[in-house]
Amino acid sequence: SLEITKKNVDSPVIRANNLRLPVKSESVDVVISTGVIHHTSDPLKALSESCRVLKIGGKMYLKIYRRGSYYHCLHWSLGGIMRLVRKRNSKTTNWLDRCAFRVYCWASRILKRTRTDNKTYLRALYEDYFYNEQTKFLSTEKLSDALNGNGLSFERFVSRRPTDLYVAHKTASALP
């Protein structure tokens, strides 16, 4: 993503920890966070950091996995079982994982016809969807409260399975 952005945008691009952004407060015009904060150990802190660096009048585009979506259910049910089985670290576990990955690739090809067949990319998605223990699913209410509490007002909200897209602008500094 960073390489694509560097090629297409004449602005500085950084890779950083979303819990401690190395950027001055209220110094950024636009924050784009697609599929990031729900993978941090503290998504509300990560969101606050993104809000902190945004200038008053700046825009935020935030896309997160939706609590209660099919992905949320798969991650905690099937993914929970898969994470438990993987911890056994046996030949059977490895065989089951390879079979599950093949099923995932097959289902992905049917359900997401435009998705790539690149096995490295698909493996990364598969690992994220089922094995990432850190993934958190925030409710719309909790996320809305956090955005409002950090001085942002909604312009638009779009709910699409399994993600929600929030478009907001900063109207004030974070509340004390």
Side-chain angles (χ1 to χ4, degrees), residues 57-95:
K59 282 198 177 207
M60 177 181 286
Y61 298 87
L62 174 67
K63 185 176 173 186
I64 64 157
Y65 290 135
R66 182 165 31 98
R67 184 177 194 84
S69 69
Y70 71 84
Y71 170 54
H72 177 221
C73 296
L74 280 174
H75 179 80
W76 290 113
S77 60
L78 183 58
I81 294 166
M82 292 169 71
R83 289 187 295 276
L84 284 172
V85 168
R86 184 179 262 188
K87 288 179 181 176
R88 294 191 61 209
N89 199 17
S90 68
K91 288 181 182 179
T92 304
T93 300
N94 293 336
W95 179 82

Side-chain angles (χ1 to χ4, degrees), residues 10-36:
D10 188 29
S11 294
V13 177
I14 60 169
R15 180 179 181 178
N17 182 331
N18 207 166
L19 297 172
R20 292 180 307 281
L21 294 172
V23 178
K24 289 185 210 172
S25 295
E26 299 184 358
S27 63
V28 175
D29 293 312
V30 177
V31 170
I32 301 171
S33 177
T34 61
V36 176

Side-chain angles (χ1 to χ4, degrees), residues 150-165:
N150 281 286
L152 275 78
S153 295
F154 286 105
E155 289 182 16
R156 190 171 48 166
F157 169 76
V158 179
S159 185
R160 300 236 169 120
R161 290 177 294 205
T163 59
D164 288 335
L165 170 66

Side-chain angles (χ1 to χ4, degrees), residues 41-55:
S41 58
D42 187 346
L44 292 176
K45 182 177 180 186
L47 178 61
S48 291
E49 266 296 278
S50 293
C51 294
R52 176 188 66 79
V53 303
L54 191 62
K55 289 179 183 177

Side-chain angles (χ1 to χ4, degrees), residues 54-158:
L54 191 62
K55 289 179 183 177
I56 293 178
K59 282 198 177 207
M60 177 181 286
Y61 298 87
L62 174 67
K63 185 176 173 186
I64 64 157
Y65 290 135
R66 182 165 31 98
R67 184 177 194 84
S69 69
Y70 71 84
Y71 170 54
H72 177 221
C73 296
L74 280 174
H75 179 80
W76 290 113
S77 60
L78 183 58
I81 294 166
M82 292 169 71
R83 289 187 295 276
L84 284 172
V85 168
R86 184 179 262 188
K87 288 179 181 176
R88 294 191 61 209
N89 199 17
S90 68
K91 288 181 182 179
T92 304
T93 300
N94 293 336
W95 179 82
L96 285 171
D97 181 63
R98 285 192 308 275
C99 289
F101 178 63
R102 284 187 195 121
V103 169
Y104 172 77
C105 290
W106 172 80
S108 180
R109 201 167 27 253
I110 290 170
L111 298 172
K112 305 265 185 169
R113 295 191 188 278
T114 58
R115 184 172 281 165
T116 181
D117 283 334
N118 180 304
K119 295 292 187 217
T120 303
Y121 177 78
L122 290 174
R123 175 53 86 166
L125 286 177
Y126 169 78
E127 293 287 327
D128 176 42
Y129 287 169
F130 298 107
Y131 291 113
N132 186 341
E133 294 186 35
Q134 190 168 282
T135 304
K136 308 278 190 311
F137 295 84
L138 299 174
S139 69
T140 303
E141 295 77 25
K142 189 173 265 195
L143 200 58
S144 297
D145 290 347
L147 286 170
N148 289 330
N150 281 286
L152 275 78
S153 295
F154 286 105
E155 289 182 16
R156 190 171 48 166
F157 169 76
V158 179

